[in-house]
Amino acid sequence: MSEEDFRWRETYFVYFDSQRRPKLEEVRALVARLRGHFQVAAGEADETGRIESLTIHSPQDYAALEIDYLSGEEVLAEGQALAADLKPGEGVDKAKLARLSKLDARFDLMHFEAVPDDDPDDPDEMFDPSALL
């Protein structure tokens, strides 16, 4: 299947401290050790080798994962806003909320699914995942 056949399905945000940002080659090695059929299709690193982005395909699952790194004041502000919106209790840990408001980096994990052009259940228009931000 070509990249045009993939449709965005969902995005997950993983917040963390920017000091813990892994090197691209470490992530590639980790994916290679995973049991299964994952293929690293593309990846970019900064000048120190730290991950900027990575694409992983799973042909048997008709799926792909795009991972993008973001950091800085905007990510910190978003984490603080998210922590303020969530209320402790009912499955939300107060300590984790406090920690979230101090995290300055994030991985955006975008899940894509391979969908043939003739799939009747797929809408004609693809939703833009950046509209969620």
Side-chain angles (χ1 to χ4, degrees):
M1 294 201 121
S2 69
E3 290 197 22
E4 294 85 35
D5 295 330
F6 282 86
R7 303 289 186 259
W8 173 82
R9 292 300 180 211
E10 58 210 345
T11 300
Y12 296 95
F13 301 123
V14 179
Y15 287 85
F16 60 98
D17 186 318
S18 61
Q19 298 299 316
R20 299 193 61 187
R21 179 174 158 198
K23 292 192 177 251
L24 177 60
E25 291 310 314
E26 292 171 348
V27 177
R28 284 180 188 268
L30 178 71
V31 171
R33 286 193 311 262
L34 292 174
R35 196 176 76 216
H37 38 268
F38 302 106
Q39 302 170 355
V40 177
E44 292 184 31
D46 69 3
E47 61 280 350
T48 66
R50 305 268 175 214
I51 188 171
E52 288 286 336
S53 66
L54 183 66
T55 302
I56 301 169
H57 285 123
S58 179
Q60 277 185 317
D61 299 320
Y62 302 99
L65 186 67
E66 172 71 31
I67 303 170
D68 291 317
Y69 172 76
L70 298 146
S71 67
E73 292 298 319
E74 185 176 324
V75 173
L76 186 61
E78 288 172 2
Q80 290 169 346
L82 182 59
D85 287 346
L86 296 171
K87 304 291 181 221
E90 294 190 33
V92 179
D93 186 321
K94 190 175 182 178
K96 287 181 182 177
L97 281 181
R99 194 168 136 229
L100 174 61
S101 66
K102 297 174 185 157
L103 300 176
D104 64 344
R106 182 180 80 210
F107 282 133
D108 292 357
L109 290 94
M110 293 172 279
H111 170 228
F112 293 87
E113 180 182 12
V115 179
D117 285 334
D118 58 353
D119 184 355
D121 296 328
D122 192 52
D124 287 0
E125 229 174 273
M126 190 169 107
F127 181 75
D128 179 5
S130 65
L132 293 175
L133 300 177

